[in-house]
Amino acid sequence: MNAPPRQSPKRPGPVTVRLVNMPVSGVERPSIALGLLQSILLNHGLATDVLYPNLWFMDYFGLETTQTLISIRPEDAVVDWIFGAAAFPDFAPDHEAYLERLQPVAPQLAANGLTKERLLALRDQAVAFTDWTARKIAARQPKIVGCTSMFQQHVASLAVLRRLREIAPDIVTVMGGANCESVMGRTTHAQYPWVDYVVSGEADQFICELMDKIVAEGRDIGADDLPFGVFAPVHRHVGYPTTTAGDGAPRAVTEDIRDLPLPVYDDYFAELSGSLYAGLISPGLPMEFSRGCWWGAKSHCTFCGLNGGNMSYRAKRPETVVAEMAEMVRRHGTRRIEAVDNIMDLAYFRAVLPDLAALEEPYVLFFETKSNLKKAQIKALADAGVHWIQPGVESLHSKVLTLMRKGCTAAQNVLLLKWCRQYGVRASWSIISEFPGEEDAWYEEMATFMPALFHLQAGVTVPLRYDRYSPYFTRPDSYGLSLKPAELYRYAYPIDAAAMADQVYFFQDDAPAPTAQERPGLRAVRRRILEWRRVWRDGPPPVLDMHDTAAGLVIEDSRPGGIGMTLEGAARAMMLAADDGPPEGRVFDHLEKAGFHHAEAQEAADRLIEARLMVRLDGRLISLALTKPHKKIPAPSAFPGGHVAKGKGLVEQLLAAV
């Protein structure tokens, strides 16, 4: 029996707290961090609203510009640099040098009209935008203004809080979010005096206490009266608190999330409805059902810097999940729901998915999962409306996966992609490369069998990035690394090298990366991925289907170079026996029991592998053909977390109609 939904909190009196979501962040969804804090504060009786300058930025600078900036890697610091003139008016980095270094790593900028000249103009215009935004924030005379900061929001948040201090000095300023965790939050507080309070970590349990104290005492809260994880003006005089855990800077953790309220998204939907681009945006509903990572708590993936170093897994009660979804859908009129969890609770296969599957009108759901899910589990996800997952594939070679400590194999990853295509579940996945200790020969092996997978969903290739809190960061010597802040940050922040190392989230290795000539295997994999994506882009997705008939196993194959055929005898038996990717020995045992000699079975295996109907991975034989019929994969526009329509023609039509 599902628990009854909680009621939306009422809004008391004149606004006391204004929470702010600065550019750039996804315009197709509200901020769950701010929506949750707003809900907690409203339930406490503090009048709180959430403002969305990320949407104002879209209207101010245009949808195309906004979406292009969102697409840039955060370590390239483009938005931080753009807001630098507003945040740090006395800082004059070498803009030409920055833009020269930026061009080869972010070619989409120029491709979408953001030339050097346009970017310099944006930097100048951001000063006016920041002033306009600050005045709009201050208009209702809040006592407290708090900004959330993640990825490319940090300098924009610093800019607007600085301008607020200049035009409304009585307003108390606060920052929090992923960019403010532990030593990053301490550095933000120490370096930028116009920020009064910085929250490091999860504020759910003490946000009401903190806001009450700020309302009563302003900037004068004593060190002993502050919650753990909060940096305050007093610390600039008496010194900053320390802890023996992590990097030595406090980080608050909410031990139990089961009774947290639902987030409030009314302000986002009201703001979106008035946007010039509202007709191009199909919003999604971010929802949280767990924090941390149950796999990372057992085996921290070497590249993962999520969770501020605290992998402790905390989940909501499964029996509340469907009711909470229903309440959010009722409030906002969309059935798109994006779970922001790092990893789905495995208990959902027993306690949640059956209830979702029983709904007359299913939700459109996204979850992050591990990649070693079984066929029945993928079907259960599809039946429940989970038609989009991010399964953490990361590689198609088991030795690379072992370096990552992923706890899965290449064979399991290929099978996952197969079952996702079978049951119509879109999978977002990538091949991460350039791990310490990897061998290029592994990529040569990957490249040889990848064309056999072209009927499955294409991924992307991305180079390894060194994140703060990852094992690569916390134990660089163990991996032969010498890490330093990603180099483009120095054009965004006016701080010295020591402060920069404590400020930023992304790092790079001092050692030069191997040249393309030194990595022919990796180059081959990248070419394969481009070919794979081109096949899916330029026509209907290729198919590799099988269906059994009296005449034999009929194979339909529209992959590049594919040939349809009918399989009989040992080849037919082997294709069917290898459907679930069993160990090779088991497949041969099955054929022997069916009356086929070993040599006959071996010949069939060789012929099927040569025809790209089967692959041999990790001691397993995997039949690649889907069982006909298979379900259709959702279009990219169906992403549960929301979608922004593309096409300048449509934008121009909308603007012409205004």
Side-chain angles (χ1 to χ4, degrees):
M1 192 75 177
N2 288 324
R6 302 182 181 93
Q7 295 300 310
S8 180
K10 296 180 180 179
R11 295 169 179 257
V15 65
T16 301
V17 181
R18 304 207 94 162
L19 302 174
V20 180
N21 193 44
M22 287 296 288
V24 292
S25 61
V27 296
E28 65 271 33
R29 65 184 67 88
S31 166
I32 187 169
L34 298 186
L36 177 56
L37 292 179
Q38 181 186 23
S39 184
I40 293 169
L41 291 168
L42 288 174
N43 282 325
H44 182 66
L46 274 176
T48 305
D49 63 6
V50 179
L51 301 183
Y52 284 90
N54 66 320
L55 296 179
W56 308 346
F57 185 92
M58 175 180 66
D59 284 349
Y60 199 97
F61 292 104
L63 179 63
E64 301 290 336
T65 293
T66 301
Q67 291 302 95
T68 300
L69 292 175
I70 287 172
S71 75
I72 302 299
R73 303 180 310 173
E75 65 266 35
D76 294 334
V78 176
V79 179
D80 292 321
W81 173 82
I82 286 172
F83 277 91
F88 316 122
D90 299 325
F91 178 48
D94 186 337
H95 301 318
E96 281 298 320
Y98 172 69
L99 294 172
E100 284 294 330
R101 291 172 181 265
L102 181 65
Q103 190 173 16
V105 297
Q108 66 267 51
L109 288 169
N112 288 285
L114 293 183
T115 60
K116 290 182 181 181
E117 294 73 22
R118 176 64 177 137
L119 288 169
L120 286 166
L122 280 177
R123 183 177 161 91
D124 291 337
Q125 293 162 359
V127 177
F129 174 80
T130 299
D131 176 72
W132 175 75
T133 299
R135 293 183 184 281
K136 195 169 179 180
I137 291 170
R140 288 181 63 188
Q141 301 179 323
K143 291 182 170 64
I144 303 164
V145 171
C147 288
T148 185
S149 177
M150 185 170 70
F151 296 136
Q152 296 194 77
Q153 292 181 295
H154 209 61
V155 176
S157 297
L158 290 171
V160 78
L161 293 183
R162 180 171 190 155
R163 188 64 185 131
L164 270 173
R165 177 54 44 87
E166 293 166 351
I167 65 175
D170 291 340
I171 293 176
V172 177
T173 57
V174 184
M175 282 185 70
N179 289 333
C180 293
E181 295 199 337
S182 66
V183 69
M184 296 187 293
R186 184 182 67 196
T187 303
T188 295
H189 192 266
Q191 293 291 325
Y192 314 114
W194 58 89
V195 181
D196 295 318
Y197 295 90
V198 172
V199 176
S200 165
E202 301 167 4
D204 319 274
Q205 292 182 322
F206 62 73
I207 190 65
C208 296
E209 172 195 352
L210 177 62
M211 293 298 153
D212 284 344
K213 286 181 181 292
I214 292 175
V215 169
E217 303 179 47
R219 302 181 179 100
D220 299 325
I221 303 174
D224 293 338
D225 295 327
L226 288 162
F228 181 83
V230 176
F231 304 115
V234 65
H235 292 136
R236 296 188 176 113
H237 308 292
V238 303
Y240 286 91
T242 60
T243 180
T244 57
D247 55 21
R251 178 187 182 273
V253 175
T254 301
E255 299 293 346
D256 189 345
I257 69 166
R258 289 177 294 179
D259 293 323
L260 292 178
L262 292 173
V264 174
Y265 293 149
D266 298 356
D267 292 328
Y268 166 81
F269 281 94
E271 193 74 57
L272 179 63
S273 68
S275 168
L276 292 172
Y277 301 101
L280 296 178
I281 296 174
S282 301
L285 299 173
M287 293 189 69
E288 178 185 56
F289 307 107
S290 69
R291 291 184 189 174
C293 178
W294 53 259
W295 173 252
K298 294 187 291 185
S299 177
H300 192 169
C301 297
T302 53
F303 62 90
C304 178
L306 299 176
N307 304 296
N310 177 19
M311 289 287 177
S312 174
Y313 193 66
R314 297 142 288 159
K316 290 194 171 184
R317 301 174 185 87
E319 60 269 21
T320 68
V321 168
V322 178
E324 290 194 346
M325 289 181 179
E327 173 59 13
M328 293 300 284
V329 168
R330 184 196 66 78
R331 289 183 190 179
H332 301 297
T334 176
R335 303 184 76 81
R336 296 182 187 234
I337 297 172
E338 176 188 8
V340 300
D341 311 21
N342 292 160
I343 191 167
M344 194 181 81
D345 190 340
L346 289 179
Y348 285 13
F349 286 101
R350 180 186 69 257
V352 174
L353 298 186
D355 289 345
L356 289 170
L359 295 175
E360 288 186 15
E361 186 179 357
Y363 302 133
V364 181
L365 302 170
F366 167 89
F367 276 92
E368 292 195 34
T369 71
K370 266 184 69 64
S371 63
N372 56 354
L373 298 177
K374 307 296 185 187
K375 179 179 182 180
Q377 290 174 311
I378 298 296
K379 183 179 186 302
L381 289 170
D383 291 344
V386 184
H387 292 297
W388 201 307
I389 62 173
Q390 184 172 317
V393 167
E394 324 299 18
S395 184
L396 297 177
H397 199 289
S398 292
K399 290 183 178 178
V400 184
L401 292 164
T402 298
L403 287 180
M404 301 181 200
R405 301 205 305 233
K406 284 295 294 183
C408 61
T409 65
Q412 289 172 317
N413 286 346
V414 169
L415 282 167
L416 173 112
L417 295 176
K418 176 181 175 178
W419 303 138
C420 283
R421 182 78 200 270
Q422 181 73 54
Y423 293 112
V425 176
R426 182 174 280 273
S428 297
W429 67 279
S430 60
I431 291 177
I432 308 177
S433 62
E434 301 169 60
F435 285 86
E438 73 179 19
E439 297 179 16
D440 197 58
W442 301 344
Y443 289 85
E444 292 179 9
E445 293 170 14
M446 259 191 278
T448 59
F449 70 79
M450 287 171 69
L453 310 181
F454 277 18
H455 62 299
L456 308 179
Q457 297 161 70
V460 296
T461 55
V462 294
L464 173 65
R465 183 176 63 191
Y466 297 106
D467 295 4
R468 185 183 293 277
Y469 308 119
S470 69
Y472 284 139
F473 176 83
T474 57
R475 299 193 302 278
D477 293 345
S478 301
Y479 302 99
L481 299 170
S482 177
L483 299 182
K484 62 182 181 182
E487 72 166 321
L488 295 184
Y489 279 127
R490 65 191 176 97
Y491 299 97
Y493 289 96
I495 55 181
D496 62 29
M500 189 76 80
D502 286 342
Q503 174 73 87
V504 302
Y505 196 89
F506 302 109
F507 292 78
Q508 64 187 52
D509 188 21
D510 254 344
T515 64
Q517 288 71 27
E518 295 173 300
R519 297 296 308 266
L522 179 55
R523 279 189 291 123
V525 165
R526 288 174 173 166
R527 282 197 304 270
R528 290 285 191 244
I529 286 288
L530 289 175
E531 293 165 9
W532 195 344
R533 295 181 66 82
R534 193 176 299 118
V535 166
W536 276 66
R537 183 196 66 199
D538 293 346
V543 298
L544 176 60
D545 285 352
M546 64 182 183
H547 63 280
D548 214 6
T549 70
L553 188 66
V554 177
I555 303 293
E556 299 175 31
D557 188 356
S558 66
R559 297 171 300 173
I563 300 173
M565 62 185 74
T566 300
L567 301 177
E568 300 176 289
R572 171 191 169 277
M574 182 163 283
M575 281 291 288
L576 295 174
D579 188 44
D580 290 325
E584 186 169 355
R586 191 185 302 167
V587 175
F588 276 80
D589 288 345
H590 176 83
L591 263 70
E592 184 178 348
K593 291 176 182 176
F596 298 101
H597 296 298
H598 182 85
E600 201 176 359
Q602 186 63 60
E603 181 186 356
D606 293 342
R607 186 155 58 95
L608 293 171
I609 291 171
E610 185 179 0
R612 300 178 301 155
L613 300 180
M614 194 166 68
V615 292
R616 178 184 284 114
L617 283 175
D618 305 318
R620 295 176 177 272
L621 289 175
I622 303 173
S623 165
L624 296 174
L626 308 179
T627 301
K628 190 176 181 178
H630 56 80
K631 298 289 182 65
K632 185 178 179 181
I633 290 175
S637 60
F639 180 58
H643 177 70
V644 179
K646 296 179 181 178
K648 292 185 179 180
L650 184 54
V651 174
E652 291 164 356
Q653 291 173 34
L654 281 172
L655 293 177
V658 173

